Amino acid sequence: GCPYNCSGHGQCVELACECDLQHRGAGCELSNFEVAIGIMHQATISLHGWNYYTWPQSAGQEWEVVIQSIGGPEDDPDLYLGWNRLPSLVSADAWDRQSPAVRRAI
């Protein structure tokens, strides 16, 4: 199959992901846009999938990232943060696995 099952952001065609316009990467795991500060961004994440977002940060600034599930109790988003790198389950600079809403100050 395709890497990460195309992360729910594309279609698997001949063992390669064809990503939708907002995503890129071998498994469509990278977003093609920078999140605007102060503007709500709504996204869908496939079961066990990952969405990656970037935003500008200046030295000394503090941010609050808010993730909220609109599904039932089985929909439990987790937040993993990486500074200047992609985070993973085993390598992240910060994380929050609370349920059902996640708030993490950066």
Side-chain angles (χ1 to χ4, degrees), residues 1-21 23-30:
C2 285
Y4 311 114
N5 201 20
C6 300
S7 304
H9 303 298
Q11 295 181 359
C12 185
V13 178
E14 296 180 16
L15 301 178
C17 291
E18 289 185 2
C19 304
D20 63 31
L21 293 177
H23 294 86
R24 61 186 168 83
C28 303
E29 72 277 14
L30 303 172

Side-chain angles (χ1 to χ4, degrees), residues 10-73:
Q11 295 181 359
C12 185
V13 178
E14 296 180 16
L15 301 178
C17 291
E18 289 185 2
C19 304
D20 63 31
L21 293 177
Q22 294 180 336
H23 294 86
R24 61 186 168 83
C28 303
E29 72 277 14
L30 303 172
S31 62
N32 273 335
F33 55 89
E34 196 172 85
V35 175
I37 303 302
I39 305 296
M40 186 177 90
H41 173 75
Q42 191 169 352
T44 301
I45 302 173
S46 61
L47 183 63
H48 304 295
W50 288 76
N51 281 5
Y52 293 93
Y53 302 97
T54 61
W55 60 87
Q57 183 171 351
S58 299
Q61 283 186 313
E62 186 173 293
W63 302 95
E64 181 180 42
V65 176
V66 179
I67 297 178
Q68 184 174 8
S69 172
I70 58 173

Side-chain angles (χ1 to χ4, degrees), residues 55 57 63 81-87 92-95 104-106:
W55 60 87
Q57 183 171 351
W63 302 95
L81 301 172
W83 282 270
N84 298 314
R85 66 188 178 97
L86 293 177
D93 295 306
W95 59 89
R104 177 69 185 185
I106 300 174

